[in-house]
Amino acid sequence: MHEEIAVAGFGGQGVLFVGRLLAEASLLEGREVVWMPSYGAEKRGGTVWCNVTISDEKIGDLFITRPTAAIAMNPASLVKLEPAMKSGGLLVVNQSLVPSKVSREDIRVVYVPANDLATELGDDSVGNLVTLGALVTGCPVVSTSSIIAVMDNLLPKNQRRLEINKRALSKGCAWTQGN
Amino acid sequence: MSKKTLMAGNIAIAEGAILAGCQAYFGYPITPQNEILEHMSKRMPEEGRVFVQTESELAAINMVYGAAAAGCRAMTSTSSPGFSLEQEGISYMSGAELPGVIVNVMRGGPGLGNIGGAQGDYFQSAKGGGHGDYRVINLAPASVQEMMDLTMLAFELADKYRNPVVVLADGFLGQAMEPVVMREPVTELPSKPWAITGALGRAKNIINSFEMDPVNFPPRVKLLLRKFKKMRRNEVRYEGLNLGDASLVIVAYGSASRSALTAMKMARQEGIPVGLLRPITLFPFPYEALSNLAQRINDFLVAELSSGQFIEDVKLAVGLDKRVALVNQYGGVPLLAEEILEAIEKMIKQPVGG
Amino acid sequence: MTKFSISELDTVLYHRPESLEDYPFHFCPGCGHGIVFRLIAEIVDELNIKERAVCVACVGCSVNSYHYFNFDGLESAHGRAPAVATAIKRCHPHLVPFTYQGDGDLAAIGTAEIVHACARGENITTIFVNNAVYGMTGGQMAPTTLVGMYSTSTPGGRKPSLSGYPIRVCEMLSTLDGTAYVARVSVHNPAAVRKTKQAIKLAFRTQLANLGMSLVEVLSPCPVNWRLEPVKALEWLVKHMLPQYPLGEFKVIEAVAALKKGDRLCTKK
């Protein structure tokens, strides 16, 4: 397999963390992986993206240009991601913040009201995990059990945080399954 | 299979230094390598080793000079503008025959440039950079694993030759995370009877690079030149991929070689037999390997993140009768595999002499 | 090293300190550097730290320092001696590194390094020789050149409108919390030389007691670049430099004062 995944949104939306979970889970599954963040002058609320390349072979380019799967957490990232998507790829759109619809017909799209679903769980900051659940259900680049194992490892000290992240992940999975 | 850890390139450099027995780290904040400084600020005291955040890169390199003179494995890390400031100290270190490791996580330039990854310090780094007749081994990692491994090697080579060694990485590699196999820590460090440790039970030691009388200086330089010759003979490192059947060879180092790897695969899928030669040492440069390749290959494509610096050494190696084309980005922008592929296609379509 | 035979003399009153090499000073006639070197060597002997002392030489007239001393020493790039000494002390806390710097080295090109070594409270010692000119390069204006004073780069005398004002290093550095002992002394006559020795010794003892940064500024004549005969140069120093650079202690933290007090008690016994 060879997947190139892009995650983009506002700073503070947990974009880099979603990428990190994808990368760690791929490593756990014994694959080659590159996690590459955008980086700029330190500024809260600016646009942030990261890409994760997952492959069975040694990975070349650190950057991706044609994502096979992607998450657009805010309107600006949808504008960038839609034209870049590889034909047949999966694009997860955070409907809570992105009002517009995707016009391309050669890609699969999952609209998920990530922040609203997160608020229902009692913490609107876990919208990122909702979108991750929606992504890996529509395009199984890693298994949810691997993501859960990574979270158990990364967040052992904050049980409350860990639990709500897990619930957000499964809420996202269920959303894609139900649509 | 050894256990792998997902790690950012900058962290791999810091951990590599600790594994190599780095006893003292000195640094000044500059993007895109701040993670090294921050990581060291926590890890060095944990290990009971020296950490100082300095007032400038000038102070940092001169503290490396002092720690190295005191017989310790010492390192600083910086990015391009800071590396310019450190040239004075690197020249002094080479002149005074002091080992030490300087990490340059390159960014866009000239001037303040920007914080994107770049390779615009090639001339400065691979050719010396400071004043006077000296050379510095340059190790160019192309993966996070190599960020660790080559940092460890840098300490070993610095001590072997009593000369500074540069790890020349770029901002993209510094920020990227990849799986890394942790290496075994170095437990035995070489003895340094020449070091400044106090004249207890021995005659005094002096460390300098100065001779009042000019006639006394050339012999010193000759000693250095002998060392640089040895480096050229023993320390050339490179990686060759798919060279056997190649009709065109991409030459690239660092993160540009990663894009080149993808471009090579894409070209081969199109049926174009492309190979890749990746220098790991920029000084000493793999002139011989390239010149041997040039005996049967006519087309070389140089991929670099600078405006045609690295290509000069490639041309020198393969000779003027070969076609050497350039595909590049500069100023902090990545070079993508697709751009390299386009350049490959363009090159093979153009008839020789056309 | 030549030593007097005891049989020839009843008591040896004056000899070359163990810590000073039998190596000719290359200073000009009437220069003050030689005095300061000898004082440091005497002090290193008296404190019995020859095996731990490290001279960090600077660039300028004292560039050859490590040849004069009979203990470990090294060169540093222009102005960077405090950074080099910092690293040596941090790596080997048992060593006693000191920097020997001129005014151009410390107060111009190396201002950042000395300020931050002081700010960090590095446990090192700096001997700062102020002769108000760049000596080695031929007498150009230094950061300590007096207003109106001739130098080869201030042809009509230093004009503040063009070249600014001289820096008072001790006054400036004593404001930093990391300094433990800061004093200005001079070598213009034997009494002043004795006081210089006391100050430098206290500076080294400050380091030996781990009390923080110690710095002694020594006013010193440079007859050749001042265009004066040696004796006239001493007179000039008294008349012109002392008013601009008053002698005295600018910073003595309590723990250093206690060291001094302990001395006096010992002497009284």
Side-chain angles (χ1 to χ4, degrees), chain A residues 13-157:
Chain A
Q13 278 187 306
V15 163
L16 299 182
F17 184 63
V18 163
R20 174 87 189 269
L21 289 177
L22 278 169
E24 293 275 6
S26 313
L27 174 60
L28 203 65
E29 293 180 2
R31 294 212 162 84
E32 293 291 330
V33 61
V34 171
W35 175 92
M36 187 73 207
S38 66
Y39 63 96
E42 297 282 338
K43 183 188 164 197
R44 276 287 140 86
T47 300
V48 170
W49 57 258
C50 72
N51 63 249
V52 180
T53 309
I54 304 168
S55 185
D56 289 325
E57 285 176 30
K58 192 176 169 187
I59 297 169
D61 210 340
L62 298 172
F63 294 90
I64 65 172
T65 45
R66 313 290 286 171
T68 57
I71 300 172
M73 294 288 289
N74 67 354
S77 34
L78 181 64
V79 171
K80 275 190 100 171
L81 286 171
E82 186 184 340
M85 292 298 295
K86 194 165 184 170
S87 190
L90 173 73
L91 179 55
V92 175
V93 179
N94 177 13
Q95 217 174 7
S96 303
L97 294 179
V98 185
S100 53
K101 295 280 176 193
V102 172
S103 55
R104 268 179 73 172
E105 286 177 356
D106 64 331
I107 57 172
R108 293 183 292 142
V109 185
V110 174
Y111 297 99
V112 52
N115 293 89
D116 299 305
L117 293 177
T119 309
E120 280 174 25
L121 292 173
D123 185 346
D124 87 325
S125 76
V126 293
N128 58 339
L129 267 292
V130 177
T131 59
L132 178 61
L135 180 99
V136 295
T137 306
C139 177
V141 287
V142 289
S143 71
T144 47
S145 62
S146 297
I147 296 175
I148 287 167
V150 169
M151 287 200 291
D152 283 336
N153 197 23
L154 285 179
L155 305 165
K157 282 188 194 142

Side-chain angles (χ1 to χ4, degrees), chain B residues 9 19 46 49 66 118 125 160 179 195 214 222-223 241 293 303 330 347:
Chain B
L19 288 170
E46 271 175 13
R49 306 183 196 177
S125 195
K160 182 175 172 185
K222 260 181 208 157
L223 275 177
L241 285 172
L293 268 182
Y330 40 79
M347 199 170 183

Side-chain angles (χ1 to χ4, degrees), chain B residues 121-136:
Chain B
D121 304 352
Y122 181 82
F123 285 155
Q124 185 183 35
S125 195
K127 305 298 176 192
H131 60 284
D133 275 316
Y134 76 97
R135 295 289 172 148
V136 171

Side-chain angles (χ1 to χ4, degrees), chain B residues 9 35 57 117 133 170 178 181 183 220 226 230 234 248 257 264 274 309-310 326 337 339 350:
Chain B
E35 295 80 4
E57 288 89 350
D133 275 316
D170 63 66
E178 289 185 313
V181 179
R183 305 301 185 191
R220 266 178 180 265
R226 215 173 293 157
K230 238 187 229 170
N234 301 329
L248 180 152
S257 75
M264 178 184 75
V274 171
Q309 299 189 29
F310 173 64
L326 174 68
E339 298 171 86
Q350 241 167 32

Side-chain angles (χ1 to χ4, degrees), chain B residues 184-206:
Chain B
E184 288 299 312
V186 173
T187 46
E188 262 184 63
L189 299 180
S191 76
K192 299 177 180 177
W194 46 264
I196 298 290
T197 52
L200 179 61
R202 60 157 169 78
K204 71 171 179 180
N205 282 341
I206 291 178

